[in-house]
Amino acid sequence: MDKNELLETVNALTEQVNIAQLDELEVETDEFRIRLSKRPPMPSMPPLNMNVPTVSTEVRTQISETAAETPKAAGRIIKSPIIGTFYAAAAPGKPAFVSVGSKVAKGGVVCIVESMKLMNEITSEFDGIVAEIFVNDGEAVEYDQPLFRLD
């Protein structure tokens, strides 16, 4: 199963969890184990505009090269709170919310992650300067995947 197929599977399961109003769902195959669980947002994370299950995945086969390239640089890391598609700007042709060197205030919007046809503004948990951007516009992102490093 490649990364896109896994993302489609997780998105479909997430939708079914919401439709069936389940609190938790776990699926295991020879290739992966996925556990979906609804729980309140973490105190350090601003609430999202929707009730999205948090996702914990354990993949038994390598699904992308980026797993081996997890950022290890010093600084504060802004991670994706959901699975979806990363967008650097509010709309095509619009300027990016932030770029390397941009000053970011705690609570400021840094990007959008589209999940299940909903656009979710991702905000910074920290004040700082954008030192690195780990993903490209339009790229699929996973739960807890590093998006930005702030200094």
Side-chain angles (χ1 to χ4, degrees), residues 19-37:
I19 290 169
Q21 297 180 346
L22 299 174
D23 288 331
E24 188 170 290
L25 174 70
E26 190 165 331
V27 176
E28 187 169 348
T29 70
D30 291 337
E31 295 180 82
F32 63 86
R33 181 177 147 248
I34 297 174
R35 182 176 167 269
L36 301 170
S37 175

Side-chain angles (χ1 to χ4, degrees), residues 29-141:
T29 70
D30 291 337
E31 295 180 82
F32 63 86
R33 181 177 147 248
I34 297 174
R35 182 176 167 269
L36 301 170
S37 175
K38 289 185 180 179
R39 52 186 146 144
M42 297 180 66
S44 63
M45 183 185 309
L48 297 175
N49 296 337
M50 55 186 264
N51 187 14
V52 177
T54 56
V55 178
S56 169
T57 60
E58 175 188 322
V59 180
R60 293 195 179 103
T61 57
Q62 185 175 354
I63 59 170
S64 78
E65 304 78 47
T66 58
E69 299 168 9
T70 301
K72 293 179 176 65
R76 291 161 294 204
I77 304 295
I78 299 172
K79 297 179 180 181
S80 179
I82 55 177
I83 292 174
T85 304
F86 172 89
Y87 293 110
K94 298 281 185 179
F97 289 105
V98 296
S99 57
V100 173
S102 295
K103 186 174 183 177
V104 175
K106 181 177 180 175
V109 176
V110 293
C111 67
I112 290 176
V113 174
E114 177 187 6
S115 180
M116 296 174 28
K117 306 290 184 201
L118 295 173
M119 300 297 182
N120 300 280
E121 291 184 340
I122 308 304
T123 57
S124 177
E125 298 175 46
F126 321 101
D127 291 329
I129 306 291
V130 177
E132 268 183 279
I133 301 174
F134 300 117
V135 292
N136 296 313
D137 194 50
E139 200 170 275
V141 294

